[in-house]
Amino acid sequence: MNLAAAANETLAHYSNVLVYSAMAIYTLAFVAHMAEWVFGSRSKVGRTAAALTTEVTAPAAAPAGSAQKGARSSSGADACIGGTAVLERPKVVTRTAAGGPDVPDGPGAHGGTEKGDLYGRIAISLTVLAWALHVGGIVTRAVSVQRAPWGNMYEFSTTLGGAAVTAYLVLLLLKKNVRWLGLPLVTTVLLDLGLAVSVLYTASDQLVPALHSYWLWIHVSCAILSGAVLYLGAVASLLFLFRDRHEAKLADPDGPQPGNFATSVLERLPSAASLDKFAYRVNATVFPLWTFTIIAGAIWAEAAWGRYWGWDPKEVWSFITWVAYACYLHARATVGWKGRKAAWLGVIAFVCYLFNYFIVNIFVTGLHSYAGV
């Protein structure tokens, strides 16, 4: 074995170590996120305090130089009642249904308490550390094989998980209200990496001849980024379905009311209207990129196989996924299909994406099949 091959093998080993280390830190982040939800579950006293903060206003004539000691919110609406420290009050948004009441956004996974918020901040810090190790493993894998690290399902899966966490952290840096995404995101990334290292793992090797092209960097990178952002939209759509049903039950005092557990979880999420808006915005933003992904794939197919479109199973399901998201965007813009119908379309569209990736790649024979790789 020459020195170059030995160096590449060593780098591949370090890549595996970094990925496993990232999984360990993601696990700690998962525990911290769980603690955020558990310790953020406010008692009746805490919920009463949160309600009272909506009525708090600044004193008409405060002494010069005075300040509210321990204030933690730019709105100045913090309070401490019965020993429960309550953070900033939720924002109020308009319900999606025409003529519906204004519904407040929930306080977040921390439940509006300082203790829950502390665990949430710890979870975010651990997520950032795990993300750094995760990205390090991807980059090290790329250096070891001296190509884009997307030549097989193991490499694609690890990069897709890293891209999803990157999108989440970028939204946090932009001060978006997305901390509620932390627990489902970390859980999904752990499942993704666990599947990658146990079932999909492939030793670092060179690409098959058809993949030796600069289009690998263009086409596959767009597919990965699209999938990562579409995942965030799918989670928002799924949570919208639960939150919207929760709000509908609360609006009907004569009907069955949600249980304590459902109330504890769902009351901390953004309102149904906010979740619907978030899902629509991220899906609409990334849809052009997914369209370009298919176009770039067709151009690459012409260069590799001499035709732009050959009805390969992967090509067919990519087009089906595109149609599903096009239907979602059209439905979301149509008055009669807003809300739950559009959300179901969004969830179904992402299921098409997952089917295209896992089932078609592994179990369906075609030019894009990764079975046995």
Side-chain angles (χ1 to χ4, degrees):
M1 180 182 296
N2 58 39
L3 292 178
N8 291 338
E9 184 176 339
T10 301
L11 286 172
H13 171 72
Y14 283 133
S15 173
N16 295 337
V17 171
L18 287 171
V19 170
Y20 277 104
S21 299
M23 292 178 64
I25 305 300
Y26 277 131
T27 303
L28 295 178
F30 170 81
V31 173
H33 276 299
M34 287 296 296
E36 177 185 17
W37 281 89
V38 171
F39 290 102
S41 180
R42 293 179 292 170
S43 63
K44 183 177 180 180
V45 173
R47 289 194 296 271
T48 301
L52 289 175
T53 59
T54 62
E55 303 297 331
V56 174
T57 58
S66 64
Q68 290 185 350
K69 190 174 182 179
R72 302 179 61 87
S73 170
S74 60
S75 65
D78 294 355
C80 185
I81 297 180
T84 301
V86 180
L87 301 178
E88 61 187 54
R89 64 185 180 184
K91 298 176 182 179
V92 176
V93 296
T94 302
R95 187 176 171 85
T96 301
D102 288 348
V103 178
D105 279 356
H110 54 69
T113 65
E114 288 186 340
K115 192 171 185 179
D117 184 61
L118 173 63
Y119 282 105
R121 293 178 184 276
I122 293 173
I124 295 298
S125 300
L126 290 170
T127 302
V128 172
L129 176 58
W131 169 82
L133 294 171
H134 192 166
V135 172
I138 296 170
V139 172
T140 307
R141 174 83 172 200
V143 175
S144 70
V145 293
Q146 299 179 6
R147 56 169 173 80
W150 312 315
N152 50 61
M153 288 191 67
Y154 167 75
E155 296 173 352
F156 190 100
S157 295
T158 54
T159 308
L160 179 63
V165 178
T166 301
Y168 170 65
L169 295 178
V170 168
L171 290 174
L172 287 178
L173 287 175
L174 295 176
K175 307 297 183 184
K176 303 298 182 181
N177 177 24
V178 294
R179 275 180 57 176
W180 48 272
L181 268 171
L183 181 59
L185 173 68
V186 170
T187 304
T188 305
V189 171
L190 274 173
L191 292 174
D192 173 60
L193 292 180
L195 182 64
V197 300
S198 61
V199 178
L200 304 176
Y201 181 77
T202 303
S204 58
D205 201 354
Q206 293 306 309
L207 298 172
V208 296
L211 296 181
H212 281 288
S213 172
Y214 61 87
W215 282 105
L216 175 67
W217 291 91
I218 300 173
H219 171 66
V220 183
S221 64
C222 290
I224 290 172
L225 183 57
S226 297
V229 179
L230 291 175
Y231 163 79
L232 300 183
V235 173
S237 293
L238 188 62
L239 292 178
F240 163 83
L241 294 171
F242 289 102
R243 172 77 188 202
D244 184 65
R245 181 59 60 85
H246 176 73
E247 292 179 6
K249 288 183 178 180
L250 294 178
D252 182 14
D254 297 328
Q257 295 299 298
N260 292 333
F261 176 77
T263 299
S264 175
V265 173
L266 295 174
E267 72 178 0
R268 289 184 257 173
L269 293 174
S271 68
S274 293
L275 289 169
D276 184 43
K277 184 184 299 183
F278 176 83
Y280 173 70
R281 286 180 174 177
V282 296
N283 286 331
T285 299
V286 80
F287 182 72
L289 184 63
W290 179 246
T291 303
F292 174 76
T293 300
I294 297 176
I295 294 173
I299 296 173
W300 188 9
E302 195 280 331
W305 302 314
R307 87 291 189 279
Y308 290 100
W309 193 266
W311 298 105
D312 182 78
K314 185 77 171 180
E315 296 169 347
V316 171
W317 274 97
S318 295
F319 180 68
I320 291 174
T321 303
W322 184 90
V323 171
Y325 273 105
C327 291
Y328 164 79
L329 295 176
H330 178 72
R332 183 58 179 72
T334 304
V335 175
W337 276 78
K338 282 186 178 180
R340 297 185 65 83
K341 292 180 181 179
W344 275 115
L345 279 176
V347 173
I348 292 171
F350 189 71
V351 170
C352 290
Y353 179 91
L354 293 179
F355 183 90
N356 185 27
Y357 177 57
F358 287 104
I359 304 301
V360 174
N361 279 347
I362 297 176
F363 299 106
V364 179
T365 302
L367 293 174
H368 293 80
S369 177
Y370 288 112
V373 176

